[in-house]
Amino acid sequence: MIDFTGKVALVTGGSRGIGAATVKAIAAAGGSVVIHYGSNKEAAMRVANEVGDENCHTVKCDLSVLAAANALWDDALAWKSRIDVVVNNAGIYCAENRAGPEADWHKVWQRTLQVNLMATADLCRAAINHWRNRKSGGAIVNVASRAAFRGDSPDHWSYAASKGGIISLTKTLARAYSSAGIYTYAVAPGFVLTDMVLEEFERDPGARARVVSEIPYGDMAPASDVANAICFLASGLATHATGQTIDINGASYVR
Ligand code: NAP
């Protein structure tokens, strides 16, 4: 049975979408959760109210700022003086224009790699140092994407590259630290019905039907499917799966 009683989890991007569903699932399984958000305080407070103020602590941190993740870690750790699980979920999906000005191109690449990959690496580093110092184990679940394996659209080179980096980071940490009881996993969602996807559909009204027609399952995944996979991996019920990735994509890309 999945049970987080006595454990503290840090979930980045816990205010909306997959992160919010993960916060709720961990809290429902008895865990205490640090709900991180970037700017949407209202959304974070809604999630906090739902799980109960006594079970959570909210922290604002803009992960597009280099090294900001370290302040997030310090704040999260100070809440209960321990963190047992880190879910690196916060992410952005920005298009870059290959044919546009080089400065804009670099801006999107830098922001995407910073939020999706560097901030994740910083939090993994802080967590592993914490667990090594207190001589205990811990679990990290990194949210990658189907794009890490399949690639993404012609306008999303940096997004796909950032998620590919997440997979190799996850494998490296699993190989390096599983002997110390530190287990690292990834999940790779395909299309999940969240604000990230709804924003894309607003830009391109035909996209929704196109996307769904390419999913053998017949629909996009709900955020709860991804949250449940994250909880299972973080729960410690299958630690020999360290380094592995669970795909959640309705068979739209079977590896
Ligand atoms: P979402 O609904 O857009 O939520 C994104 C979350 O990340 C929000 O909590 C947001 O905080 C936070 N965030 C965004 N930019 C940030 C920044 N600069 N600093 C700090 N926090 C920031 O996204 P989602 O669909 O749930 O995606 C979650 C993860 O799943 C991402 O890593 C994404 O790449 C991955 N994923 C999603 C899909 C999909 O189809 N939805 C597919 C594959 C992978 P605020 O609420 O404060 O803005």
Side-chain angles (χ1 to χ4, degrees):
M1 201 184 93
I2 293 177
D3 184 9
F4 287 101
T5 304
K7 289 187 182 170
V8 182
L10 164 61
V11 180
T12 69
S15 46
R16 292 185 288 121
I18 293 167
T22 303
V23 168
K24 292 175 203 169
I26 293 174
S32 302
V33 192
V34 178
I35 305 171
H36 157 263
Y37 66 100
S39 57
N40 196 334
K41 184 173 184 183
E42 217 174 280
M45 295 318 292
R46 264 198 304 274
V47 179
N49 287 339
E50 213 173 304
V51 300
D53 286 342
E54 65 287 2
N55 299 321
C56 68
H57 171 65
T58 54
V59 182
K60 177 183 195 299
C61 178
D62 181 359
L63 295 175
S64 70
V65 177
L66 184 70
N70 296 324
L72 162 61
W73 173 264
D74 290 344
D75 189 328
L77 183 59
W79 181 43
K80 289 201 183 268
S81 304
R82 65 181 295 154
I83 290 176
D84 306 283
V85 171
V86 176
V87 180
N88 284 303
N89 161 78
I92 53 173
Y93 185 70
C94 297
E96 64 258 321
N97 181 359
R98 173 183 50 81
E102 191 186 22
D104 294 349
W105 162 266
H106 281 144
K107 222 185 267 174
V108 176
W109 266 89
Q110 256 174 347
R111 190 175 175 84
T112 300
L113 290 181
Q114 170 57 39
V115 174
N116 291 7
L117 185 57
M118 284 281 288
T120 293
D122 284 348
L123 287 174
C124 289
R125 176 173 179 262
I128 289 168
N129 286 340
H130 169 61
W131 293 325
R132 296 290 281 174
N133 289 340
R134 79 172 191 189
K135 297 196 173 21
S136 74
I140 296 170
V141 184
N142 294 324
V143 180
S145 166
R146 180 183 72 171
F149 302 102
R150 194 206 62 161
D152 210 294
S153 83
D155 295 332
H156 291 93
W157 300 12
S158 59
Y159 181 79
S162 73
K163 296 302 186 176
I166 288 288
I167 296 296
S168 44
L169 171 68
T170 301
K171 291 179 181 177
T172 300
L173 301 186
R175 288 169 59 82
Y177 301 107
S178 55
S179 61
I182 297 168
Y183 307 115
T184 312
Y185 317 88
V187 293
F191 275 96
V192 182
L193 201 52
T194 65
D195 293 346
M196 183 178 276
V197 164
L198 290 170
E199 279 159 23
E200 287 300 305
F201 291 169
E202 260 168 40
R203 269 189 283 276
D204 175 4
R208 187 175 189 139
R210 265 198 324 276
V211 160
V212 170
S213 74
E214 288 168 6
I215 304 174
Y217 187 100
D219 209 349
M220 289 172 276
S224 57
D225 270 31
V226 185
N228 290 338
I230 291 170
C231 284
F232 168 65
L233 291 169
S235 69
L237 287 176
T239 52
H240 284 260
T242 189
Q244 302 299 323
T245 300
I246 294 186
D247 293 348
I248 303 134
N249 63 40
S252 61
Y253 192 75
V254 181
R255 293 187 285 133

